[in-house]
């Protein structure tokens, strides 16, 4: 089933268990069955700062695993929630998001004096040079640790490789 767009979906309340054990009421937008269990797309209440410097209500949407992180609200019907189920005849790959090609592409850039700087891209990135050999994750991480190297944020290299380079050191007890 194709979930409706945001303007068609009517979210319903659901309880979400936060990492510290707190439970809050959020909005359930969709649910999806995967081979290893169910995922629920929930909208968590939040705030954001618009450019005018004020504060406004916002919603942070995220897919979470059920039942560990999601609990029903008593008396609420979930029948109308857009639901994607695995069917016995459908291959598992149909339920998963499309995958990008494996590996990484290293683009050397010269900019004035000094050594060339490396930019790490996914092979299907529109800024990746054609015909350049694809390297494995270990070579990509080695290149990313060199002075002046950067990970492309357009193709997701930064989102995928940065946690491997830095772990979760950026998270403090204050957050």
């Amino acid at each position: 089933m194709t979930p409706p767009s945001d303007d068609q979906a009517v979210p319903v309340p659901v309880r979400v268990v936060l990492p510290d054990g707190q439970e809050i009421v959020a909005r359930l937008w969709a649910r999806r069955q995967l081979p290893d269990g169910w995922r629920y797309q929930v909208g968590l209440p939040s705030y954001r700062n618009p450019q005018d410097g004020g504060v406004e209500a916002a919603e942070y949407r995220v897919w979470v695993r059920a039942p560990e992180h999601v609990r029903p609200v008593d008396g609420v019907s979930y029948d109308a929630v857009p639901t994607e189920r695995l069917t016995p005849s459908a291959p598992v790959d149909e339920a998963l998001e499309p995958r990008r090609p494996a590996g990484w592409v290293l683009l050397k850039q010269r900019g004035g004096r000094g050594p060339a700087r490396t930019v790490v891209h996914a092979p299907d990135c529109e800024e990746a040079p054609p015909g350049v050999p694809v390297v494995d994750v270990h070579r990509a991480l080695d290149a990313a640790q060199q002075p002046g190297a950067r990970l492309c944020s357009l193709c997701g290299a930064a989102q995928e490789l940065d946690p491997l380079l830095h772990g979760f050191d950026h998270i403090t007890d204050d957050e």
Side-chain angles (χ1 to χ4, degrees), residues 98-105 121-125 134-135 155 160:
R99 295 188 181 187
R100 67 163 185 79
W104 304 97
V105 173
H121 295 281
D124 60 346
C125 179
V134 175
V135 300
C155 65
E160 290 185 48

Side-chain angles (χ1 to χ4, degrees), residues 56-133:
E56 63 186 25
E59 180 178 71
Y60 174 72
R61 288 194 194 173
V62 63
W63 286 93
V64 295
R65 184 185 298 265
E68 299 98 303
H69 304 292
V70 180
R71 298 199 174 118
V73 172
D74 291 338
V76 173
S77 171
Y78 296 98
D79 293 341
V81 175
T83 303
E84 294 178 47
R85 296 182 188 275
L86 286 178
T87 58
S89 62
V92 170
D93 288 344
E94 287 182 20
L96 302 175
E97 296 293 325
R99 295 188 181 187
R100 67 163 185 79
W104 304 97
V105 173
L106 308 178
L107 171 62
K108 300 279 187 184
Q109 293 182 324
R110 294 226 174 259
R113 295 183 178 193
R117 298 179 186 266
T118 301
V119 181
V120 180
H121 295 281
D124 60 346
C125 179
E126 62 187 49
E127 292 188 6
V132 174

Side-chain angles (χ1 to χ4, degrees), residues 7 9 13 17 31 37 42 46 50 92 94 101 107 113 138 158 166-167 173:
D7 57 343
V17 180
R31 52 192 173 180
V42 297
S46 184
V92 170
E94 287 182 20
L107 171 62
R113 295 183 178 193
H138 301 291
H166 302 106
D173 290 337

Side-chain angles (χ1 to χ4, degrees), residues 24 130 137 169:
I24 63 169
V137 68
D169 294 342

Side-chain angles (χ1 to χ4, degrees), residues 17-71:
V17 180
L18 298 177
D20 65 359
Q22 294 181 70
E23 280 191 28
I24 63 169
V25 176
R27 300 189 318 166
L28 178 60
W29 286 93
R31 52 192 173 180
R32 177 181 296 158
Q33 185 181 25
L34 297 176
D36 66 339
W38 285 88
R39 302 294 188 279
Y40 283 43
Q41 185 185 40
V42 297
L44 302 169
S46 184
Y47 291 99
R48 71 173 155 229
N49 299 112
Q51 292 201 354
D52 67 6
V55 176
E56 63 186 25
E59 180 178 71
Y60 174 72
R61 288 194 194 173
V62 63
W63 286 93
V64 295
R65 184 185 298 265
E68 299 98 303
H69 304 292
V70 180
R71 298 199 174 118

